Amino acid sequence: MGNMLSAQSLPGALLEAESRMRTPDGEKLSGVTDGRGVHTALATQRAEDSSESHEEEPVAEGRDLGVLFPGGAGRPLVLNLTRQVPAWREEYKGQANLHVFEDWCGGAVGQLRRNLHFPLFPHTRTTVKKLAVSPKWKNYGLRLFGFIHPARDGDVQFSVASDDNSEFWLSPNESPAGAQLVAFVGKTGSEWTAPGEFTKFSSQVSKPRRLMASRRYYFELLHKQDDRGSDHVEVGWRAFLPGLKFEVIGSAHISLYTDESALKMDHVAHVPQSPASHVGGRPRQEEPRADMLRPDPRDAFFLTPRVEPSDLESVLEPCAYAPTYVVKDFPIARYQGLQFVYLSFVYPNDHTRLTHMEADNKCFYRESPLYLERFGFYKYMKMDREEGGEDRQEAQRRAFLFLNPDGECPHDFLDDEDDGELLDAGLGPTDAPRRQGGRQLPAPAAPAAPSEAAATPAAPQRRRSRALSWAARQLPLLLGRAPPPRPAARPSSGLSRVYVTRVRPGPRAPPRAPPLGARGPPRPPLPGVFLRPRPLPRVPLRAPPRPPRARGHRTSSPPAAELRAPAPAPATAEGRARAPGLAAPTADSNSSSEAQPVTSFLSLSQVSRPQLPGEGEEDEEEEGDDDEEGAPGDENASEDSEEAAGLARGRWREDAIDWQRTFSVGHVDFELLRSDWNDLRCNVSGNLQLPEAEAVDVVAQYMERLNMRHSGRYALLRIVNVEKRRDSARGSRFLLELELQERGGRRLRLSEYVFLRLPGARAGDTEEDRESPEPAAASPARPDGRPELCRPLRLAWRQDVTVHFVVPVKNQARWVVQFLADMAALHARTGDSRFSVVLVDFESEDMDVEQALRAARLPRYQYLRRAGNFERSAGLQAGVDAVEDASSIVFLCDLHIHFPPSILDGIRKHCVEGKLAFAPVVMRLSCGSSPGDPHGYWEVNGFGLFGIYKSDFDRIGGMNTEEFRDQWGGEDWELLDRVLQAGLEVERLRVRNFYHHFHSRRGMWGARSRKAARKEAP
């Protein structure tokens, strides 16, 4: 009886597994699984010629197409549990089966179940001698299974410990189908235990289970490890008696489920399938996380019958098509072809922009990441002003970015529409302060004359630039004393000066500053320097006259300086002229009672909040009392610095939040800022968006001509897809895909290339145009001088052309099986038999590739075997040479690709013989990501997936097999150079739901590990 494989695994559902297998003693194993799976053909079926084209086979009855596309059809998975186990032998004792799934991120067991190859196709099959494994690796998952043999009858408790998550399943008998979850460590991937820590979580320890020594019990241990921590997983057991400790289950009590040493990696009939390997494998998601996963009419439009191209030939006048961006016979340097590839515009939005990946990658926007990190998107917002004007707190908040040369806060750069965009230039003062005695000192500034101060308000308001005027006067940089004060007669417009000081004790020095009355209030020390998003008013801090005394119960760490609010200066005319709430500096900054203030950056823990307005005058007496209490010998001194700090914090106020602030914003379309050149810097942006008005205008012109030609036979139902390639010198090429309603009720698909030629544009005068047997091109022109549509000569795509997928392989059994499963699913879903698979095998040892091809349900295939090391260029060239039809399309492919159902139609539409080649952009999935939950980036630099007519491929010389003999990487760019020089266009589009599975190169193409190399060394 044919083996039924898991509906969760595509290879198990679509490839032909062995109908039976034999144990080492020759006993047949049949009926390994139950009969609720998908029936497969016998693996012994063989064809006489491996390159023979096979006829299309109908889908077997009862086969659910949802099985072919798990997660896509939204149907529940059919569990295919193993109920009949293979024969057990005594020599199996002492070991357990171990399957390793590498290159998969995450720490939760649920992420292991979402692995594409789990549970049938692991990277490695091996055995272990006890249930305690620590390979000292990262990003992997383990599946241990076998039988447990109790030493005696009785109640037994199990416990599992691991880093990260793990699950231990046990069956009440030897059948995998009855396995039950008895203990686990975590479910989210963040839980872990230390080695041997069996009682950290309550879920680790199982309930007592009655076991008998005369029986064996199937067990399964699943473990997932991420890239952090000390990886380990172990299972312990103990008799259910008080005081006993858990002990790791050793080799004396375990045995193999079956012997896998003689089986190839594509033989999966023996792999047990239990509830542990299926539960929660692919949860159904109601709302997809990525917009690209939402249904789109493009995805299934290829199933709609197409309007016959012969009915459309006379709709538009023919015209020559020779775009100016074609670089035929133009000498270009090696790999310079990347600069001559242009992108196409698409309408409607195909949602290929990876918006769900922009939480960390914001390269779609024009601003630099550093700018966005600091300022965000506030420059696109215009804050609404309050009717009564701005209060002082609002003005302080608006001063968080720049201060003008006068020390006053300018108008908010976000509110002034006429000031233009914010300057991105960095801050760079031109004059540094002088240094004296190892300290930075501010440059002296002459005091302003009263007449100048009085004339300032009457001066006309001049337009201030966004640039910082540092050269107007000498300013301090970061350290150094506060600058001298300025005259108080100068009006301040109600805005407080914004700078922060910190206490810095230093040696005493004779006073250098003139009296306070002669210099006026202080100037802001750091104009233009932004200290924090919300600036604080000036906060002078000073140190206490001596450190607090240590208590017996405190530690002997160095005492911290106590922060206290300074005593206010005597009220003077200059002091009253200042803004309220600002404490005046003392006349002598080097007095014995306090240290000199030094301007600097302070962390949030050093300054609690600004001082309340007028608080200094009310607390003047209290401040004096504090100084008296701090005198030497005073018994009523402060208990410790914490209580004094708490008292000081009571005098600060909290930040105010304006919850009623509103703003104005206009519609921002960042797509208009993009160009059609191949942007190699941003890998999350999608296809270029074509403006709706332009697309509708072109469609309206075409429908008008179509109805004139066919007397209103067709009615437009909807615009499914419009693609535009722009040529600013001669016009634009469009691919129109429209859903039409034919008179009589049938819905049809129109998919044709048209050309919108610019008035007066000179047509291309190429040798091919002169030798064309088609009628001479017309020069379309409208009376109003607007461009008019025409039919480009020799730019029609064929729907019946055969596509050949050419793939070189070597020792990639699990990926070969997956690739063939995807191809068979593509055939079953689309019903399209006009494609073939050409596999070039470099002597794979882990599977029989030819037999897998014969067993797969493919319309046709070819198998080529080559000796030697893996060579991608040589393999692709050999596969193309095996294709006999020069008028067919060859698609140079990779093995790790997930194809959307529309891939065949997309390749045919964008490949035109002698004119057009297709290089679709694939989305590379990140580690731990799957097509159902895609996370990754668009491979904008890669051209390894390439579709071209075989005649064009032969004309340019094929692959460069000489320079890329023993290496791969760069051969696709070199091929692109020659394709462009041959005069072909290369269509470059991001394809929806087109993924490259994550994988590493470890162990690929027959590479040996260091350990294996050491064993083979003499």
Side-chain angles (χ1 to χ4, degrees), residues 742-781:
E742 189 180 17
R743 187 185 303 162
R746 189 174 61 156
R747 294 192 177 188
L748 296 176
R749 167 196 182 197
L750 185 146
S751 181
E752 294 294 324
Y753 281 103
V754 299
F755 185 62
L756 188 66
R757 185 176 177 180
L758 296 177
R762 182 174 177 270
D765 188 15
T766 64
E767 182 179 354
E768 295 180 359
D769 294 335
R770 290 192 297 267
E771 298 177 356
S772 174
E774 300 191 31
S779 298

mmCIF file of all heavy atoms in Angstrom, residues 742-781:
data_model
loop_
_atom_site.group_PDB
_atom_site.id
_atom_site.type_symbol
_atom_site.label_atom_id
_atom_site.label_comp_id
_atom_site.label_asym_id
_atom_site.label_seq_id
_atom_site.Cartn_x
_atom_site.Cartn_y
_atom_site.Cartn_z
ATOM 1 N N GLU A 742 -17.708 40.992 -23.106
ATOM 2 C CA GLU A 742 -18.069 40.861 -24.506
ATOM 3 C C GLU A 742 -19.585 40.860 -24.647
ATOM 4 O O GLU A 742 -20.304 40.381 -23.775
ATOM 5 C CB GLU A 742 -17.486 39.569 -25.088
ATOM 6 C CG GLU A 742 -17.638 39.458 -26.593
ATOM 7 C CD GLU A 742 -17.056 38.161 -27.109
ATOM 8 O OE1 GLU A 742 -16.852 37.244 -26.276
ATOM 9 O OE2 GLU A 742 -16.812 38.046 -28.312
ATOM 10 N N ARG A 743 -20.030 41.379 -25.741
ATOM 11 C CA ARG A 743 -21.454 41.386 -26.003
ATOM 12 C C ARG A 743 -21.941 39.933 -26.102
ATOM 13 O O ARG A 743 -21.506 39.170 -26.942
ATOM 14 C CB ARG A 743 -21.760 42.122 -27.307
ATOM 15 C CG ARG A 743 -23.248 42.332 -27.570
ATOM 16 C CD ARG A 743 -23.434 42.970 -28.946
ATOM 17 N NE ARG A 743 -22.692 44.234 -29.030
ATOM 18 C CZ ARG A 743 -22.393 44.804 -30.207
ATOM 19 N NH1 ARG A 743 -22.735 44.236 -31.335
ATOM 20 N NH2 ARG A 743 -21.730 45.952 -30.213
ATOM 21 N N GLY A 744 -22.792 39.562 -25.192
ATOM 22 C CA GLY A 744 -23.236 38.184 -25.122
ATOM 23 C C GLY A 744 -22.963 37.546 -23.778
ATOM 24 O O GLY A 744 -23.419 36.438 -23.515
ATOM 25 N N GLY A 745 -22.199 38.233 -22.923
ATOM 26 C CA GLY A 745 -22.067 37.764 -21.553
ATOM 27 C C GLY A 745 -20.728 37.192 -21.173
ATOM 28 O O GLY A 745 -20.472 36.963 -19.989
ATOM 29 N N ARG A 746 -19.803 36.941 -22.108
ATOM 30 C CA ARG A 746 -18.537 36.318 -21.745
ATOM 31 C C ARG A 746 -17.532 37.375 -21.305
ATOM 32 O O ARG A 746 -17.421 38.432 -21.940
ATOM 33 C CB ARG A 746 -17.989 35.533 -22.940
ATOM 34 C CG ARG A 746 -16.781 34.675 -22.592
ATOM 35 C CD ARG A 746 -16.359 33.813 -23.754
ATOM 36 N NE ARG A 746 -15.978 34.622 -24.918
ATOM 37 C CZ ARG A 746 -15.154 34.194 -25.874
ATOM 38 N NH1 ARG A 746 -14.657 32.956 -25.807
ATOM 39 N NH2 ARG A 746 -14.870 34.969 -26.900
ATOM 40 N N ARG A 747 -16.802 37.063 -20.240
ATOM 41 C CA ARG A 747 -15.755 37.957 -19.760
ATOM 42 C C ARG A 747 -14.424 37.527 -20.371
ATOM 43 O O ARG A 747 -14.085 36.346 -20.363
ATOM 44 C CB ARG A 747 -15.663 37.936 -18.240
ATOM 45 C CG ARG A 747 -16.887 38.498 -17.553
ATOM 46 C CD ARG A 747 -16.648 38.720 -16.077
ATOM 47 N NE ARG A 747 -17.792 39.334 -15.432
ATOM 48 C CZ ARG A 747 -17.788 39.776 -14.180
ATOM 49 N NH1 ARG A 747 -16.689 39.665 -13.441
ATOM 50 N NH2 ARG A 747 -18.862 40.323 -13.656
ATOM 51 N N LEU A 748 -13.673 38.499 -20.847
ATOM 52 C CA LEU A 748 -12.422 38.229 -21.527
ATOM 53 C C LEU A 748 -11.309 39.074 -20.930
ATOM 54 O O LEU A 748 -11.547 40.064 -20.234
ATOM 55 C CB LEU A 748 -12.550 38.519 -23.028
ATOM 56 C CG LEU A 748 -13.545 37.650 -23.804
ATOM 57 C CD1 LEU A 748 -13.627 38.120 -25.245
ATOM 58 C CD2 LEU A 748 -13.164 36.174 -23.731
ATOM 59 N N ARG A 749 -10.117 38.674 -21.251
ATOM 60 C CA ARG A 749 -8.905 39.349 -20.773
ATOM 61 C C ARG A 749 -8.166 39.951 -21.962
ATOM 62 O O ARG A 749 -7.857 39.265 -22.929
ATOM 63 C CB ARG A 749 -8.011 38.334 -20.059
ATOM 64 C CG ARG A 749 -6.600 38.812 -19.786
ATOM 65 C CD ARG A 749 -5.728 37.618 -19.459
ATOM 66 N NE ARG A 749 -4.369 37.992 -19.140
ATOM 67 C CZ ARG A 749 -3.347 37.147 -19.130
ATOM 68 N NH1 ARG A 749 -3.550 35.873 -19.413
ATOM 69 N NH2 ARG A 749 -2.122 37.557 -18.831
ATOM 70 N N LEU A 750 -7.895 41.236 -21.865
ATOM 71 C CA LEU A 750 -7.092 41.917 -22.874
ATOM 72 C C LEU A 750 -5.731 42.200 -22.271
ATOM 73 O O LEU A 750 -5.627 42.828 -21.207
ATOM 74 C CB LEU A 750 -7.760 43.212 -23.318
ATOM 75 C CG LEU A 750 -7.090 43.982 -24.462
ATOM 76 C CD1 LEU A 750 -8.142 44.660 -25.335
ATOM 77 C CD2 LEU A 750 -6.114 45.048 -23.939
ATOM 78 N N SER A 751 -4.689 41.754 -22.935
ATOM 79 C CA SER A 751 -3.320 41.941 -22.454
ATOM 80 C C SER A 751 -2.439 42.218 -23.658
ATOM 81 O O SER A 751 -1.999 41.291 -24.350
ATOM 82 C CB SER A 751 -2.834 40.699 -21.700
ATOM 83 O OG SER A 751 -1.527 40.886 -21.205
ATOM 84 N N GLU A 752 -2.184 43.504 -23.914
ATOM 85 C CA GLU A 752 -1.456 43.908 -25.111
ATOM 86 C C GLU A 752 -0.514 45.064 -24.793
ATOM 87 O O GLU A 752 -0.756 45.864 -23.891
ATOM 88 C CB GLU A 752 -2.432 44.346 -26.213
ATOM 89 C CG GLU A 752 -3.312 43.242 -26.743
ATOM 90 C CD GLU A 752 -2.531 42.169 -27.471
ATOM 91 O OE1 GLU A 752 -1.535 42.519 -28.144
ATOM 92 O OE2 GLU A 752 -2.909 40.988 -27.362
ATOM 93 N N TYR A 753 0.574 45.128 -25.604
ATOM 94 C CA TYR A 753 1.506 46.254 -25.528
ATOM 95 C C TYR A 753 1.041 47.345 -26.487
ATOM 96 O O TYR A 753 0.664 47.075 -27.634
ATOM 97 C CB TYR A 753 2.920 45.816 -25.909
ATOM 98 C CG TYR A 753 3.652 45.087 -24.806
ATOM 99 C CD1 TYR A 753 3.800 43.706 -24.845
ATOM 100 C CD2 TYR A 753 4.197 45.777 -23.725
ATOM 101 C CE1 TYR A 753 4.477 43.028 -23.854
ATOM 102 C CE2 TYR A 753 4.873 45.108 -22.723
ATOM 103 C CZ TYR A 753 5.012 43.737 -22.787
ATOM 104 O OH TYR A 753 5.670 43.086 -21.791
ATOM 105 N N VAL A 754 1.088 48.586 -26.013
ATOM 106 C CA VAL A 754 0.805 49.760 -26.840
ATOM 107 C C VAL A 754 1.918 50.768 -26.598
ATOM 108 O O VAL A 754 2.666 50.686 -25.606
ATOM 109 C CB VAL A 754 -0.569 50.377 -26.523
ATOM 110 C CG1 VAL A 754 -1.687 49.387 -26.789
ATOM 111 C CG2 VAL A 754 -0.621 50.877 -25.085
ATOM 112 N N PHE A 755 2.018 51.722 -27.532
ATOM 113 C CA PHE A 755 3.083 52.734 -27.451
ATOM 114 C C PHE A 755 2.454 54.111 -27.583
ATOM 115 O O PHE A 755 1.689 54.365 -28.520
ATOM 116 C CB PHE A 755 4.110 52.498 -28.554
ATOM 117 C CG PHE A 755 5.303 53.416 -28.477
ATOM 118 C CD1 PHE A 755 6.143 53.391 -27.382
ATOM 119 C CD2 PHE A 755 5.585 54.304 -29.499
ATOM 120 C CE1 PHE A 755 7.251 54.216 -27.301
ATOM 121 C CE2 PHE A 755 6.679 55.151 -29.431
ATOM 122 C CZ PHE A 755 7.515 55.102 -28.323
ATOM 123 N N LEU A 756 2.752 54.972 -26.630
ATOM 124 C CA LEU A 756 2.267 56.358 -26.653
ATOM 125 C C LEU A 756 3.411 57.232 -27.133
ATOM 126 O O LEU A 756 4.279 57.642 -26.361
ATOM 127 C CB LEU A 756 1.793 56.783 -25.267
ATOM 128 C CG LEU A 756 1.077 58.126 -25.171
ATOM 129 C CD1 LEU A 756 -0.244 58.079 -25.925
ATOM 130 C CD2 LEU A 756 0.840 58.496 -23.714
ATOM 131 N N ARG A 757 3.398 57.519 -28.442
ATOM 132 C CA ARG A 757 4.513 58.213 -29.060
ATOM 133 C C ARG A 757 4.356 59.718 -28.928
ATOM 134 O O ARG A 757 3.263 60.263 -29.133
ATOM 135 C CB ARG A 757 4.594 57.825 -30.539
ATOM 136 C CG ARG A 757 5.792 58.396 -31.259
ATOM 137 C CD ARG A 757 5.843 57.874 -32.671
ATOM 138 N NE ARG A 757 6.936 58.448 -33.424
ATOM 139 C CZ ARG A 757 7.193 58.159 -34.680
ATOM 140 N NH1 ARG A 757 6.412 57.311 -35.332
ATOM 141 N NH2 ARG A 757 8.214 58.708 -35.303
ATOM 142 N N LEU A 758 5.454 60.375 -28.593
ATOM 143 C CA LEU A 758 5.433 61.824 -28.439
ATOM 144 C C LEU A 758 5.354 62.494 -29.805
ATOM 145 O O LEU A 758 5.931 61.991 -30.780
ATOM 146 C CB LEU A 758 6.686 62.295 -27.699
ATOM 147 C CG LEU A 758 6.832 61.817 -26.256
ATOM 148 C CD1 LEU A 758 8.157 62.291 -25.673
ATOM 149 C CD2 LEU A 758 5.679 62.300 -25.398
ATOM 150 N N PRO A 759 4.667 63.622 -29.905
ATOM 151 C CA PRO A 759 4.585 64.330 -31.196
ATOM 152 C C PRO A 759 5.958 64.792 -31.646
ATOM 153 O O PRO A 759 6.749 65.346 -30.873
ATOM 154 C CB PRO A 759 3.666 65.518 -30.899
ATOM 155 C CG PRO A 759 2.934 65.144 -29.656
ATOM 156 C CD PRO A 759 3.858 64.274 -28.872
ATOM 157 N N GLY A 760 6.279 64.537 -32.914
ATOM 158 C CA GLY A 760 7.553 64.974 -33.475
ATOM 159 C C GLY A 760 8.726 64.110 -33.117
ATOM 160 O O GLY A 760 9.861 64.415 -33.503
ATOM 161 N N ALA A 761 8.488 63.013 -32.357
ATOM 162 C CA ALA A 761 9.596 62.137 -31.975
ATOM 163 C C ALA A 761 10.077 61.364 -33.186
ATOM 164 O O ALA A 761 9.291 60.858 -33.983
ATOM 165 C CB ALA A 761 9.150 61.174 -30.879
ATOM 166 N N ARG A 762 11.384 61.264 -33.336
ATOM 167 C CA ARG A 762 11.975 60.561 -34.467
ATOM 168 C C ARG A 762 12.038 59.086 -34.162
ATOM 169 O O ARG A 762 12.551 58.670 -33.134
ATOM 170 C CB ARG A 762 13.370 61.115 -34.743
ATOM 171 C CG ARG A 762 14.052 60.473 -35.944
ATOM 172 C CD ARG A 762 15.365 61.184 -36.237
ATOM 173 N NE ARG A 762 16.071 60.549 -37.335
ATOM 174 C CZ ARG A 762 16.951 59.568 -37.172
ATOM 175 N NH1 ARG A 762 17.210 59.126 -35.959
ATOM 176 N NH2 ARG A 762 17.570 59.044 -38.216
ATOM 177 N N ALA A 763 11.483 58.260 -35.039
ATOM 178 C CA ALA A 763 11.471 56.819 -34.816
ATOM 179 C C ALA A 763 12.865 56.256 -34.979
ATOM 180 O O ALA A 763 13.727 56.821 -35.648
ATOM 181 C CB ALA A 763 10.497 56.138 -35.781
ATOM 182 N N GLY A 764 13.059 55.112 -34.372
ATOM 183 C CA GLY A 764 14.355 54.450 -34.463
ATOM 184 C C GLY A 764 14.598 53.949 -35.875
ATOM 185 O O GLY A 764 13.729 53.367 -36.513
ATOM 186 N N ASP A 765 15.789 54.182 -36.371
ATOM 187 C CA ASP A 765 16.160 53.767 -37.723
ATOM 188 C C ASP A 765 17.194 52.660 -37.609
ATOM 189 O O ASP A 765 18.383 52.863 -37.803
ATOM 190 C CB ASP A 765 16.696 54.959 -38.498
ATOM 191 C CG ASP A 765 16.920 54.615 -39.970
ATOM 192 O OD1 ASP A 765 16.397 53.571 -40.402
ATOM 193 O OD2 ASP A 765 17.627 55.367 -40.650
ATOM 194 N N THR A 766 16.751 51.487 -37.237
ATOM 195 C CA THR A 766 17.629 50.353 -37.079
ATOM 196 C C THR A 766 17.547 49.450 -38.288
ATOM 197 O O THR A 766 16.637 49.517 -39.111
ATOM 198 C CB THR A 766 17.264 49.558 -35.809
ATOM 199 O OG1 THR A 766 15.949 49.032 -35.980
ATOM 200 C CG2 THR A 766 17.301 50.448 -34.580
ATOM 201 N N GLU A 767 18.536 48.589 -38.388
ATOM 202 C CA GLU A 767 18.565 47.642 -39.512
ATOM 203 C C GLU A 767 17.389 46.695 -39.452
ATOM 204 O O GLU A 767 16.818 46.313 -40.477
ATOM 205 C CB GLU A 767 19.886 46.876 -39.480
ATOM 206 C CG GLU A 767 20.051 45.906 -40.639
ATOM 207 C CD GLU A 767 21.381 45.186 -40.598
ATOM 208 O OE1 GLU A 767 22.202 45.545 -39.732
ATOM 209 O OE2 GLU A 767 21.590 44.300 -41.424
ATOM 210 N N GLU A 768 16.965 46.316 -38.251
ATOM 211 C CA GLU A 768 15.826 45.417 -38.118
ATOM 212 C C GLU A 768 14.551 46.084 -38.603
ATOM 213 O O GLU A 768 13.699 45.446 -39.217
ATOM 214 C CB GLU A 768 15.686 44.986 -36.653
ATOM 215 C CG GLU A 768 16.859 44.145 -36.166
ATOM 216 C CD GLU A 768 16.680 43.743 -34.723
ATOM 217 O OE1 GLU A 768 15.644 44.144 -34.131
ATOM 218 O OE2 GLU A 768 17.527 43.041 -34.176
ATOM 219 N N ASP A 769 14.402 47.381 -38.339
ATOM 220 C CA ASP A 769 13.201 48.081 -38.797
ATOM 221 C C ASP A 769 13.149 48.161 -40.315
ATOM 222 O O ASP A 769 12.091 48.049 -40.926
ATOM 223 C CB ASP A 769 13.152 49.482 -38.192
ATOM 224 C CG ASP A 769 12.965 49.448 -36.679
ATOM 225 O OD1 ASP A 769 12.422 48.442 -36.195
ATOM 226 O OD2 ASP A 769 13.377 50.408 -36.009
ATOM 227 N N ARG A 770 14.312 48.366 -40.945
ATOM 228 C CA ARG A 770 14.317 48.473 -42.397
ATOM 229 C C ARG A 770 14.017 47.133 -43.068
ATOM 230 O O ARG A 770 13.432 47.087 -44.145
ATOM 231 C CB ARG A 770 15.685 48.996 -42.856
ATOM 232 C CG ARG A 770 15.932 50.454 -42.495
ATOM 233 C CD ARG A 770 17.147 50.981 -43.225
ATOM 234 N NE ARG A 770 18.370 50.262 -42.839
ATOM 235 C CZ ARG A 770 19.178 50.655 -41.876
ATOM 236 N NH1 ARG A 770 18.907 51.750 -41.189
ATOM 237 N NH2 ARG A 770 20.270 49.964 -41.585
ATOM 238 N N GLU A 771 14.422 46.020 -42.420
ATOM 239 C CA GLU A 771 14.193 44.719 -43.002
ATOM 240 C C GLU A 771 12.887 44.093 -42.562
ATOM 241 O O GLU A 771 12.599 42.953 -42.904
ATOM 242 C CB GLU A 771 15.348 43.782 -42.614
ATOM 243 C CG GLU A 771 16.701 44.242 -43.138
ATOM 244 C CD GLU A 771 17.821 43.334 -42.674
ATOM 245 O OE1 GLU A 771 17.503 42.406 -41.887
ATOM 246 O OE2 GLU A 771 18.968 43.537 -43.082
ATOM 247 N N SER A 772 12.080 44.796 -41.790
ATOM 248 C CA SER A 772 10.842 44.227 -41.275
ATOM 249 C C SER A 772 9.847 43.991 -42.400
ATOM 250 O O SER A 772 9.638 44.858 -43.260
ATOM 251 C CB SER A 772 10.230 45.170 -40.224
ATOM 252 O OG SER A 772 8.966 44.681 -39.842
ATOM 253 N N PRO A 773 9.222 42.785 -42.453
ATOM 254 C CA PRO A 773 8.216 42.532 -43.488
ATOM 255 C C PRO A 773 6.887 43.203 -43.190
ATOM 256 O O PRO A 773 6.003 43.197 -44.036
ATOM 257 C CB PRO A 773 8.075 41.000 -43.436
ATOM 258 C CG PRO A 773 8.399 40.644 -42.023
ATOM 259 C CD PRO A 773 9.459 41.632 -41.590
ATOM 260 N N GLU A 774 6.714 43.767 -41.982
ATOM 261 C CA GLU A 774 5.447 44.391 -41.630
ATOM 262 C C GLU A 774 5.311 45.736 -42.324
ATOM 263 O O GLU A 774 6.295 46.313 -42.817
ATOM 264 C CB GLU A 774 5.359 44.563 -40.109
ATOM 265 C CG GLU A 774 5.437 43.247 -39.359
ATOM 266 C CD GLU A 774 5.088 43.414 -37.897
ATOM 267 O OE1 GLU A 774 4.261 44.296 -37.592
ATOM 268 O OE2 GLU A 774 5.628 42.673 -37.077
ATOM 269 N N PRO A 775 4.106 46.263 -42.405
ATOM 270 C CA PRO A 775 3.903 47.544 -43.093
ATOM 271 C C PRO A 775 4.679 48.668 -42.436
ATOM 272 O O PRO A 775 5.052 48.597 -41.254
ATOM 273 C CB PRO A 775 2.386 47.762 -42.976
ATOM 274 C CG PRO A 775 1.957 46.913 -41.837
ATOM 275 C CD PRO A 775 2.861 45.712 -41.875
ATOM 276 N N ALA A 776 4.930 49.679 -43.206
ATOM 277 C CA ALA A 776 5.708 50.808 -42.696
ATOM 278 C C ALA A 776 4.995 51.473 -41.536
ATOM 279 O O ALA A 776 3.763 51.555 -41.489
ATOM 280 C CB ALA A 776 5.935 51.826 -43.818
ATOM 281 N N ALA A 777 5.779 51.923 -40.624
ATOM 282 C CA ALA A 777 5.211 52.540 -39.428
ATOM 283 C C ALA A 777 4.617 53.888 -39.755
ATOM 284 O O ALA A 777 5.165 54.672 -40.534
ATOM 285 C CB ALA A 777 6.281 52.680 -38.359
ATOM 286 N N ALA A 778 3.489 54.143 -39.135
ATOM 287 C CA ALA A 778 2.833 55.433 -39.312
ATOM 288 C C ALA A 778 3.395 56.439 -38.331
ATOM 289 O O ALA A 778 4.088 56.100 -37.387
ATOM 290 C CB ALA A 778 1.329 55.276 -39.117
ATOM 291 N N SER A 779 3.113 57.668 -38.577
ATOM 292 C CA SER A 779 3.531 58.732 -37.668
ATOM 293 C C SER A 779 2.284 59.333 -37.043
ATOM 294 O O SER A 779 1.723 60.317 -37.543
ATOM 295 C CB SER A 779 4.328 59.812 -38.423
ATOM 296 O OG SER A 779 5.497 59.254 -38.971
ATOM 297 N N PRO A 780 1.786 58.713 -36.013
ATOM 298 C CA PRO A 780 0.528 59.167 -35.440
ATOM 299 C C PRO A 780 0.654 60.558 -34.858
ATOM 300 O O PRO A 780 1.640 60.900 -34.220
ATOM 301 C CB PRO A 780 0.250 58.122 -34.352
ATOM 302 C CG PRO A 780 1.583 57.565 -34.021
ATOM 303 C CD PRO A 780 2.402 57.632 -35.270
ATOM 304 N N ALA A 781 -0.342 61.327 -35.090
ATOM 305 C CA ALA A 781 -0.371 62.683 -34.538
ATOM 306 C C ALA A 781 -1.819 63.118 -34.434
ATOM 307 O O ALA A 781 -2.628 62.868 -35.319
ATOM 308 C CB ALA A 781 0.408 63.647 -35.415
#
